[in-house]
Amino acid sequence: MNTLFINACVRPESRTLRLARRVLGHLGGEVMELDLQREGLLPLTAETLRERDGILSRGAWDDPTLRLARQFAAAEQIVAAAPYWDLSFPASLKTYFEHINVNGVTFSYGVDGRPVSHCHAKRLFYVMTAGGPILPPNHGYAYVKSLAEMFYGVPEIACFSAELLDVEGMDVEAILRDAEAWIDRYFAGAGSEA
């Protein structure tokens, strides 16, 4: 299976990236990494939306503007890695979703007004770490899970996380090892705690 790895990690020594690599190690197949820092995506504006609408109305599906949406729709598995920032995730991930949530490419609206998926992904894994506690509700994961279910039709969605990593006195390495063991158990079929 081909896997799209959406890397929204900012720090080179990212603990989120460490856990994401553990997940990727269980998936096998071809992995296409999309480093959102390198992509340099900007939020959509009235002008860029107008341009995209023109591309869609002309049916220019191979236009570079739709590259990320086509890539997302074609992926069979998706891993999204994003640190827990401000009760959610870095802005780069939200901007990415703005670019790939394209009516006619990743989804369309059915006659009842509900989104109909054009995506191939069977599984989506969301990976996150937090310096403090991950407070409920987990807005970042809830947002990604809602998109995956409602727009992209992904049947298997799981979240792997580690928290309290910047709290004084915590054994950071032990917390990360526990998270890695949780990932290993998930893929060994011992049950999902997502």
Side-chain angles (χ1 to χ4, degrees):
M1 293 184 112
N2 73 65
T3 301
L4 174 60
F5 174 36
I6 305 160
N7 181 356
C9 300
V10 177
R11 296 181 176 101
E13 72 285 356
S14 170
R15 299 169 297 199
T16 304
L17 187 55
R18 172 178 165 175
L19 296 184
R21 298 263 182 239
R22 188 68 164 231
V23 171
L24 290 165
H26 284 282
L27 299 181
E30 181 182 338
V31 175
M32 168 57 107
E33 181 172 346
L34 183 67
D35 185 330
L36 295 185
Q37 284 195 97
R38 289 194 184 120
E39 286 295 319
L41 298 174
L42 297 174
L44 297 176
T45 64
E47 181 181 335
T48 55
L49 279 172
R50 204 169 25 255
E51 288 172 12
R52 186 167 83 178
D53 288 346
I55 289 163
L56 294 171
S57 68
R58 291 191 309 275
W61 305 112
D62 60 347
D63 190 278
T65 303
L66 304 176
R67 172 183 63 92
L68 296 176
R70 287 192 315 269
Q71 179 187 58
F72 187 91
E76 296 169 300
Q77 303 180 107
I78 297 164
V79 176
Y84 183 70
W85 283 9
D86 307 324
L87 302 178
S88 181
F89 43 67
S92 63
L93 187 57
K94 174 63 170 100
T95 301
Y96 171 75
F97 282 117
E98 286 183 3
H99 282 267
I100 62 121
N101 211 50
V102 180
N103 187 353
V105 180
T106 51
F107 77 98
S108 59
Y109 288 108
V111 293
D112 62 357
R114 294 180 189 203
V116 176
S117 173
H118 293 248
C119 297
H120 294 89
K122 302 296 180 226
R123 307 193 296 177
L124 184 145
F125 302 107
Y126 186 73
V127 183
M128 60 187 285
T129 60
I134 298 171
L135 301 172
N138 183 338
H139 295 290
Y141 174 58
Y143 175 77
V144 173
K145 186 174 191 269
S146 293
L147 281 176
E149 289 174 339
M150 295 172 63
F151 282 85
Y152 313 137
V154 181
E156 181 183 349
I157 305 162
C159 178
F160 301 108
S161 63
E163 59 185 327
L164 307 174
L165 299 176
D166 294 335
V167 175
E168 189 174 328
M170 299 303 289
D171 185 341
V172 173
E173 190 55 36
I175 294 169
L176 290 170
R177 281 195 310 269
D178 285 348
E180 288 171 331
W182 170 23
I183 291 166
D184 294 344
R185 285 192 307 274
Y186 182 94
F187 288 102
S192 165
E193 300 173 33

